[in-house]
Amino acid sequence: MGRGEERDERLGPDGAVLLTVECQRGVVGAESALPELAAVARRSGALANVARLVDAAHGAGVQVVHAVAERRPDGRGSSSNARLFRAAARLPVQQHSGSTAVRIAEPIQVADEDLVVRRLHGLSPLAGTEVDALLRNLGCRVLVVTGVSANVAVPNAVFDAVNLGYTAVVPRDAIAGVPADYTPAMIRNTLSLVATIATTDELLTAWRAPRRSSARA
């Protein structure tokens, strides 16, 4: 199999799961606790591209998993061992369990078959959560990582996925971080070393293409 065919296999729907990272109202919505990040996610088109990928995944039979970061109002179980966590605890908008802040943000449409995994601690959607077990039960081989932020949670998710044996795919135009020019630098210098970098349109094309087994039949 040539390099082009290997890449096509990585981008195809078979064995793929789409992961959205912290695409919640309190992070990328209109009333975000992090307005600069929310503005970049929307202005860059990253959030719209996540929504496009979610819609396409529903049509292509690709499982969607939404990873949400939240905390209890009393803070029990939440991390406090980094400046980021302590700063987040003082923000005017809190990601409290059960609040509108932890609902998936528009324009992303959540389907009945989607899985929503909520965590109270840490930086990664995978480490210490049930996501890895769910992915294995789903037969996942390729994890497509989207969302925010390119500063922290997205690279954490990619590194953890690779360490756990998954092939990671990152659509470069469906992630965002701050400042805006940090995201392409992170992709070029770090994520490209461990993940397959694609675009939203490349994934949409691959997910619409006839599957190999159908073509041979």
Side-chain angles (χ1 to χ4, degrees):
M1 182 181 293
R3 289 185 179 179
E5 290 178 314
E6 289 178 359
R7 179 178 172 82
D8 289 345
E9 288 290 333
R10 290 193 292 269
L11 299 186
D14 293 336
V17 170
L18 174 65
L19 178 70
T20 76
V21 179
E22 297 180 24
C23 291
Q24 56 206 72
R25 293 183 183 179
V27 176
V28 293
E31 299 181 356
S32 170
L34 304 164
E36 183 182 3
L37 177 59
V40 170
R42 292 180 176 275
R43 188 169 59 244
S44 68
L47 188 61
N49 283 331
V50 174
R52 294 172 65 207
L53 286 165
V54 168
D55 287 344
H58 293 155
V62 173
Q63 179 67 52
V64 179
V65 177
H66 303 283
V68 174
E70 59 182 47
R71 59 184 283 123
R72 288 167 48 116
D74 61 11
R76 288 181 183 270
S78 296
S79 303
S80 60
N81 58 335
R83 186 175 66 166
L84 175 65
F85 300 130
R86 296 190 292 272
R90 297 192 296 270
L91 291 173
V93 177
Q94 290 292 305
Q95 315 298 319
H96 285 163
S97 302
S99 70
T100 58
V102 296
R103 295 179 185 174
I104 302 301
E106 296 81 3
I108 298 169
Q109 298 294 317
V110 181
D112 291 340
E113 63 267 25
D114 292 0
L115 298 174
V116 180
V117 178
R118 304 178 182 276
R119 76 178 194 276
L120 293 173
H121 64 87
L123 300 169
S124 171
L126 275 74
T129 73
E130 61 182 328
V131 170
D132 178 40
L134 294 175
L135 294 178
R136 295 188 188 282
N137 288 345
L138 291 164
C140 176
R141 299 189 306 276
V142 176
L143 186 64
V144 181
V145 180
T146 66
V148 297
S149 72
N151 305 75
V152 179
V154 167
N156 262 263
V158 172
F159 295 149
D160 286 344
V162 172
N163 286 331
L164 290 166
Y166 301 102
T167 295
V169 172
V170 178
R172 66 173 71 246
D173 52 356
I175 67 170
V178 290
D181 58 2
Y182 178 77
T183 299
M186 163 60 80
I187 292 170
R188 181 173 60 254
N189 296 303
T190 303
L191 296 184
S192 65
L193 303 178
V194 295
T196 297
I197 307 301
T199 65
T200 295
D201 285 343
E202 285 177 327
L203 280 163
L204 296 181
T205 297
W207 290 353
R208 286 194 297 261
R211 301 191 181 190
R212 288 182 178 273
S213 58
S214 300
R216 288 173 182 168

